[in-house]
Amino acid sequence: MRVGSRLLPFPRSAPEEAALLAPRGAFRQIADELRRLIESGELAPGAMVPSENVLAERFGVARGTVRSALAVLLDDGLLEVLPGQGRRVVGAGAGPSSVTAYGRIAAELLRRIESGEFATSDALPSEAALMAEFDVSRNTVRRAIQVLVDEGAVVVRQGAGAFVAAR
């Protein structure tokens, strides 16, 4: 069949088309399977969910189908999106991500706060001290502190530093 100067493929028959598409509601089945993994503890709170590509390959579907399944779990509050990292299972064990340098720093500072090493209103070490301790850039330290600010564990006073927030 010709349209203008282009050749278009012949239309496929319904059985041929059906063989190329995932079954209707496949995203719901994938969401149910991931929900089962979360509820059984195989995907524990704080665990990163495999990437869209990995899940698409595992379930034999397109990434869009996987994305729809993940959206269902996001809407149900079982997953959260970590920009630049992926999706993580929410729950009691979900704290700052230890996948990135700033996540590891945030997790370590939070551990120190919770252990009592830093009391309410205590100043955290300076950016320079944290840069030296963790061998990272100033931006990485600032991002780690921002994670703690977002969680309500730390407050930043302009020109004075970061301090443990009252909880």
Side-chain angles (χ1 to χ4, degrees):
M1 174 185 287
R2 260 190 203 278
V3 174
S5 62
R6 295 183 307 156
L7 280 176
L8 294 179
F10 288 107
R12 292 188 177 101
S13 67
E16 288 174 327
E17 192 69 35
L20 296 175
L21 299 175
R24 277 219 177 282
F27 76 94
R28 288 186 187 93
Q29 294 170 358
I30 295 168
D32 289 343
E33 176 63 16
L34 292 172
R35 183 179 287 109
R36 185 192 65 73
L37 292 172
I38 292 168
E39 290 170 354
S40 72
E42 290 180 57
L43 277 174
M48 296 301 289
V49 176
S51 71
E52 290 175 2
N53 285 335
V54 169
L55 291 172
E57 190 174 305
R58 182 180 301 164
F59 290 107
V61 296
R63 271 185 48 214
T65 304
V66 169
R67 194 174 293 126
S68 295
L70 294 171
V72 169
L73 299 175
L74 281 165
D75 290 343
D76 291 347
L78 295 173
L79 300 179
E80 64 183 343
V81 175
L82 300 176
Q85 296 177 50
R87 292 168 185 88
R88 178 173 66 177
V89 178
V90 298
S97 171
S98 59
V99 174
T100 61
Y102 72 85
R104 286 190 296 275
I105 296 167
E108 174 60 20
L109 291 173
L110 187 60
R111 184 196 64 75
R112 291 180 188 176
I113 291 168
E114 290 172 347
S115 73
E117 185 176 332
F118 300 117
T120 301
S121 300
D122 279 357
L124 294 181
S126 69
E127 286 179 355
L130 292 171
M131 288 168 51
E133 179 180 347
F134 293 102
D135 192 28
V136 295
S137 71
R138 184 173 306 277
N139 284 337
T140 302
V141 168
R142 288 181 177 172
R143 195 160 180 191
I145 291 172
Q146 187 59 51
V147 167
L148 296 174
V149 168
D150 292 345
E151 290 189 2
V154 170
V155 294
V156 174
R157 297 187 195 128
Q158 193 66 27
F163 298 85
V164 178
R167 288 192 162 199

